[in-house]
Amino acid sequence: MRAKLTLQQLEAFVQIVTTGSFRAAAVHVGVSQPALSRTIRQAEQILQARLFDRDTRNVKITPVGQELLPIAQRILGEFDNSFGELGQFLQGRTGRVSLGVLPSIGASLIPGAIASYRSQHPEVEFSLLEAPADALLTAIDEGRADFGLSVRPAPDRRVRYRHLMNDPLVLVCQRDDVLATRDSVPWSIFATRPYLASQASSSIRPITDAALLRFSVSPALEYPSISACGALVRAGLGITALPLMALDLIRMDGLATVPLTRPQVNRQIGIITRIGRTLPPVGQTFLDTLLDQTGSRSSTRQPLHRSVFTRQADL
């Protein structure tokens, strides 16, 4: 015989054993005493055995009841633990965050954000996907990333973008270059020096192309990666413009940065999610933490990645 008792029946049974009284057990589970008695009768009918010997004054558990008791306690305990785990998940205290990021974001903003979040939620796991902007959009669309941190996508992409911060572009040159002594330089400087440009597929290239459009600048070289760009500048092959957060991908010894003006150009960084997809609770709480850290949830002010510009190698 395979008995199919409900959780309600098991709880009523355990409460009667615990309290020693149908009346006290009914109060504990929040039902009337007749309703509790019906619940126990239904359980006894399913088991085809009595669980209690009772009269007007005494309630005694039967041998069948004694056999059932540890089983019922275990089932109820496992149920409570499971829903406790679900509660932790719903509160964003457990689970996995699948996050897609640009390489520069993964090297600059994300490590500190994850460390801060996990100090409060140590059970949360993170899965990081690092890729160029177009590949990130594909990963988000296919569900391989819950959300991404990237540049603003084109309007025709079916994703939701929420602005997070502005990442200013700076000039990168050798430390002994005369430009390194200046407080700022205009974008027209690239018309007078060999200019190193990112590849056309990079998320940086459209931004620098737009800033240089009226200066008729032709690249001396196109670099394949941010780290390669730093090496090319260090070798004296030219100067370049990079987002401030991208500097975490470069070995800065021997190099300097100078603010770029006229115009001042920013790379817009934001949170990208797929339209119609609900984030897991842990993903939403991590995003809330990220928004709080960058000031984007409570203020329209867009904080810079670094509070000051410096021309020292230890940026």
Side-chain angles (χ1 to χ4, degrees), residues 92-93 110-126 282 286 289 293:
R93 298 181 180 275
I110 293 304
I114 291 178
S116 175
Y117 188 80
R118 291 200 66 183
S119 68
Q120 301 296 320
H121 309 289
E123 300 301 319
V124 172
E125 299 178 349
F126 282 85
V282 67
F286 177 71
T289 299
Q293 289 181 349

Side-chain angles (χ1 to χ4, degrees), residues 170-187:
V170 297
L171 175 122
V172 182
C173 62
Q174 290 180 315
R175 192 193 299 181
D176 57 4
D177 192 310
V178 65
L179 295 176
T181 64
R182 297 175 60 172
D183 292 330
S184 64
V185 291
W187 280 83

